[in-house]
Amino acid sequence: MTSRPRMRDPSTMLPGIVAVALFGVLAVVFLGASFGDAAGFPSGANITASIGYAMFNIFSVEGQSIVQSEGFLIAFEIIDLVLVAALAAAVMLARREGGGVFSSLRTDGGQESGGDDE
């Protein structure tokens, strides 16, 4: 026997009504907001080099248009930490219990040798 969801239950209608009201408020705020003119980088600016120069504390480079990139550097470092944490988590999840790191590289298809199988 399957049970059907109750559509008229007030305890299930309240979160839906709150979600629709929140969507309406956010729509009014976003549609009524005024954004300034788009500000771009100067022509010929090298953003990647600017991040590298900021990372190694180099301030003057001849012949290149340098952009203030401390904000980019912070975002770059945060992404770096997140990716390193994800890599470490992937390695921890990939390890097999009790087998060691090279247990999947066996030539016998991963079967345990019992000794009397010959």
Side-chain angles (χ1 to χ4, degrees):
M1 179 169 125
T2 60
S3 62
R4 296 179 51 182
R6 296 182 203 167
M7 296 300 207
R8 304 281 181 191
D9 189 13
S11 65
T12 60
M13 289 178 63
L14 183 63
I17 292 171
V18 170
V20 169
L22 181 63
F23 176 77
V25 169
L26 289 176
V28 168
V29 168
F30 286 130
L31 293 176
S34 63
F35 299 101
D37 292 333
F41 296 108
S43 179
N46 195 347
I47 306 299
T48 308
S50 298
I51 293 172
Y53 296 142
M55 187 180 307
F56 294 110
N57 205 15
I58 301 172
F59 293 109
S60 63
V61 176
E62 294 182 26
Q64 289 191 4
S65 177
I66 301 298
V67 178
Q68 291 294 86
S69 59
E70 283 77 22
F72 293 129
L73 182 63
I74 292 169
F76 178 79
E77 289 297 328
I78 290 171
I79 290 170
D80 173 46
L81 291 174
V82 168
L83 288 175
V84 168
L87 181 65
V91 168
M92 284 179 29
L93 289 174
R95 286 188 57 180
R96 294 181 184 236
E97 293 285 332
V101 178
F102 297 108
S103 65
S104 62
L105 298 177
R106 293 185 180 161
T107 58
D108 61 352
Q111 298 174 358
E112 296 288 332
S113 59
D116 292 333
D117 294 337
E118 296 175 6

